[in-house]
């Protein structure tokens, strides 16, 4: 079978976070949706996303090559979080679709029908694709817990439960920690550690409220990790306090105090400072003593200004900041709850950061457009420090994202 993840109309709710990545590459729990589908089905999953992302995140041979196969095609909504329904879909008769409310969750269809609905899905018109499937497929309506994420803050509020749902997938390859030879103290029995992990005790793992997963990471002495939590491979935990519901991707550097936050790969919060109920993309760097607030003084719910949508009352008491890919923050900045900083922006030299910073913006007291050639030059240097290449296809993604987001910078110098 061929597995294809797609973006639907609600990608716009995540616009600040997804100018340089598809919705199905957003991390929540131990995996992104694409990674989770791959782990469940034990085979690659291809992406169908906005045009400027396809050259980097889409199938190498293009969609036509996938559809030329005679295999059934499995479609999965890129906002899907709880995928407990996916194994059942794979076993359904050809031309079966799963619906949650009015939303297309997934479908198992023939290559011919797949070709018809891809016409809509490549434009993120999942409602039209759903209506087409209603005509030609067997429909099953599902009632699931947290079937999809609808807003950026859902990634944070669902992270703890998703880590628990991810436990069976991770337990396949991460053994339970059964020894204290590294001067490790455990509270609870659900601590899974890769044998290649470097543990320099004393370390405390607390899994009483949920499992702790440690890939081939390095954890320095006097670290505290409270489950549910996930530490990705190649990551350094620098004598930090990692509190519950935190998900850290590969090759990160994390110190200070982190609570209920998602950190994508290759991002750094190496120094002291608090990060709480927040979301960080890839290649983010947070300077020493920079701290975010995740609770208003009046204990009211946090409001967020969504790009292209407007201000929304989240109804959430504790919510921090959202930093898109390649954001850089200087030392000693303070960020209020609900702060949104767009792709490639560089903020420094001020006490309190603005609550909303457009994509590819540079400055502090005065903000200017970040010249794309300079931004890409910095990205190339940063990526090389982690032995990663800024490929031509990814450079094109950043350049196209710069063009698409130009209206958000109108009026800047």
């Amino acid at each position: 079978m061929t597995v294809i993840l797609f973006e639907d109309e609600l990608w716009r709710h995540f616009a600040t976070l997804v100018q340089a990545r598809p919705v199905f590459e957003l991390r929540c729990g131990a995996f992104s949706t694409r990674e989770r589908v791959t782990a469940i089905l034990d085979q690659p999953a291809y992406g169908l996303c906005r045009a400027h992302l396809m050259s980097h995140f889409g199938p190498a041979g293009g969609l036509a090559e996938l559809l030329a196969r005679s295999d059934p095609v499995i479609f999965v909504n890129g906002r899907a979080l709880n995928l407990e329904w996916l194994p059942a879909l794979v076993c359904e008769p050809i031309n079966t679709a799963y619906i949650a409310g009015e939303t297309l969750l997934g479908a198992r269809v023939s290559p011919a029908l797949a070709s018809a609905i891809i016409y809509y899905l490549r434009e993120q018109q999942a409602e039209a694709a759903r209506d087409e499937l209603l005509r030609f497929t067997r429909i099953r309506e599902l009632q699931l817990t947290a079937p999809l994420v609808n807003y950026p803050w859902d990634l944070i509020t669902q992270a703890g439960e998703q880590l628990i749902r991810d436990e069976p997938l991770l337990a396949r390859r991460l053994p339970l920690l059964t020894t204290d030879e590294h001067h490790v103290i455990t509270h609870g029995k659900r601590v899974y550690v890769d044998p290649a992990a470097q543990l320099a005790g004393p370390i405390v793992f607390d899994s009483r409220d949920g499992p702790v997963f440690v890939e081939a990471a390095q954890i320095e002495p006097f670290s505290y990790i409270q489950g549910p939590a996930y530490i990705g491979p190649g990551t350094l935990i620098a004598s930090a306090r990692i509190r519950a519901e935190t998900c850290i991707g590969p090759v990160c550097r994390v110190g200070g105090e982190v609570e209920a936050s998602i950190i994508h790969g290759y991002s750094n919060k190496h120094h002291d400072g608090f990060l709480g109920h927040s979301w960080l993309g890839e290649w983010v760097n947070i300077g020493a003593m920079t701290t975010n607030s995740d609770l208003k003084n009046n204990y009211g719910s946090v409001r967020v200004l969504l790009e292209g949508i407007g201000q929304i009352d989240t109804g959430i008491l504790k919510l921090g900041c959202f930093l898109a890919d390649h954001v850089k923050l200087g030392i000693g900045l303070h960020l209020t709850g609900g702060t949104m900083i767009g792709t490639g922006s560089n903020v420094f030299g001020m006490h309190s950061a603005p609550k909303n910073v457009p994509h590819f913006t540079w400055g502090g007291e005065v903000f200017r457009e970040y010249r794309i050639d300079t931004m890409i030059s910095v990205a190339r240097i940063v990526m090389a420090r982690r032995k990663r290449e800024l490929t031509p296809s990814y450079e094109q993604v950043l350049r196209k994202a710069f063009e698409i987001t130009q209206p958000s910078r109108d009026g800047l110098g």
Side-chain angles (χ1 to χ4, degrees):
M1 62 186 173
T2 300
V3 183
I4 300 176
L5 291 98
F6 64 89
E7 296 184 302
D8 66 8
E9 292 85 349
L10 263 61
W11 77 265
R12 294 175 179 85
H13 288 182
F14 301 85
T16 300
L17 312 184
V18 296
Q19 293 301 336
R21 66 173 56 242
V23 169
F24 49 77
E25 296 290 358
L26 296 173
R27 178 179 296 277
C28 181
F31 307 102
S32 67
T33 300
R34 189 210 287 262
E35 291 169 340
R36 188 169 291 111
V37 168
T38 297
I40 291 172
L41 300 181
D42 195 27
Q43 73 167 74
Y46 301 97
L48 178 58
C49 45
R50 284 155 286 147
H52 78 283
L53 301 173
M54 281 296 291
S55 62
H56 187 72
F57 293 98
L63 290 172
E65 179 179 307
L66 293 182
L67 297 178
R69 304 172 182 176
S70 59
D71 303 326
V73 179
I74 306 293
F75 286 103
V76 178
N77 192 311
R79 293 190 293 113
L81 193 59
N82 183 352
L83 291 168
E84 63 185 24
W85 49 269
L86 183 56
L89 176 62
V90 171
C91 298
E92 293 281 7
I94 291 290
N95 294 344
T96 298
Y98 283 5
I99 306 290
E102 298 296 317
T103 301
L104 175 62
L105 272 181
R108 183 175 188 258
V109 299
S110 66
L113 185 51
S115 298
I117 65 172
I118 274 181
Y119 174 82
Y120 301 106
L121 294 180
R122 68 184 181 185
E123 302 298 329
Q124 296 76 56
Q125 296 177 6
E127 292 181 2
R130 177 205 62 203
D131 293 344
E132 191 78 0
L133 290 169
L134 288 173
R135 298 172 56 201
F136 297 108
T137 66
R138 168 178 171 264
I139 301 296
R140 284 194 58 193
E141 297 189 12
L142 304 187
Q143 300 292 329
L144 298 175
T145 303
L148 302 111
V149 289
N150 296 312
Y151 292 98
W153 45 89
D154 293 339
L155 298 165
I156 295 169
T157 60
Q158 289 297 318
E161 288 299 320
Q162 188 56 52
L163 280 167
I164 294 171
R165 286 192 289 263
D166 286 338
E167 185 172 8
L169 292 174
L170 292 165
R172 294 178 188 173
R173 55 182 177 78
L174 293 179
L176 285 166
L177 184 66
T178 59
T179 177
D180 62 356
E181 64 181 83
H182 303 288
H183 303 288
V184 172
I185 301 170
T186 59
H187 300 298
K189 298 180 179 179
R190 297 160 68 191
V191 179
Y192 300 84
V193 179
D194 189 303
Q198 301 176 50
L199 308 181
I203 300 169
V204 175
F205 293 119
D206 186 347
S207 65
R208 287 173 292 187
D209 294 327
V212 174
F213 307 102
V214 180
E215 303 272 13
Q218 178 183 354
I219 302 182
E220 292 185 345
F222 305 106
S223 293
Y224 171 78
I225 301 178
Q226 178 185 30
Y230 173 82
I231 311 298
T235 284
L236 169 67
I237 303 300
S239 303
R241 288 166 290 165
I242 308 298
R243 302 200 180 275
E245 303 182 354
T246 294
C247 318
I248 302 174
V251 197
C252 295
R253 303 289 181 267
V254 178
E257 182 181 5
V258 179
E259 179 182 11
S261 294
I262 296 170
I263 304 177
H264 277 250
Y266 304 95
S267 289
N268 297 332
K269 184 216 163 293
H270 201 162
H271 304 288
D272 284 344
F274 174 70
L275 180 73
H277 294 84
S278 296
W279 185 96
L280 275 60
E282 286 191 339
W283 305 107
V284 171
N285 191 78
I286 296 179
M289 303 309 297
T290 288
T291 289
N292 82 277
S293 168
D294 62 2
L295 179 66
K296 296 173 69 172
N297 285 350
N298 64 3
Y299 287 70
S301 61
V302 177
R303 294 177 179 270
V304 175
L305 181 63
L306 291 183
E307 180 180 328
I309 304 295
Q311 189 174 81
I312 294 181
D313 187 337
T314 66
I316 298 173
L317 183 67
K318 300 194 76 173
L319 186 62
C321 60
F322 296 86
L323 310 181
D325 296 319
H326 294 278
V327 164
K328 305 292 185 287
L329 301 181
I331 62 172
L333 288 175
H334 292 175
L335 289 79
T336 58
T339 293
M340 305 281 280
I341 300 182
T343 307
S345 289
N346 191 328
V347 183
F348 57 90
M350 59 194 313
H351 177 73
S352 296
K355 190 165 181 178
N356 292 87
V357 178
H359 304 276
F360 302 100
T361 300
W362 182 92
E365 297 296 338
V366 176
F367 284 90
R368 295 179 171 84
E369 182 175 85
Y370 199 171
R371 293 177 182 174
I372 187 60
D373 289 338
T374 304
M375 182 267 159
I376 286 176
S377 177
V378 172
R380 183 173 285 110
I381 293 169
V382 169
M383 294 174 74
R385 284 167 54 86
R386 296 289 179 261
K387 297 180 172 55
R388 295 296 297 267
E389 177 189 2
L390 197 160
T391 63
S393 64
Y394 188 52
E395 179 177 341
Q396 188 67 11
V397 165
L398 293 174
R399 290 187 180 277
K400 285 293 185 180
F402 179 83
E403 295 175 12
I404 291 168
T405 60
Q406 182 64 59
S408 71
R409 298 184 297 279
D410 287 347
L412 295 180

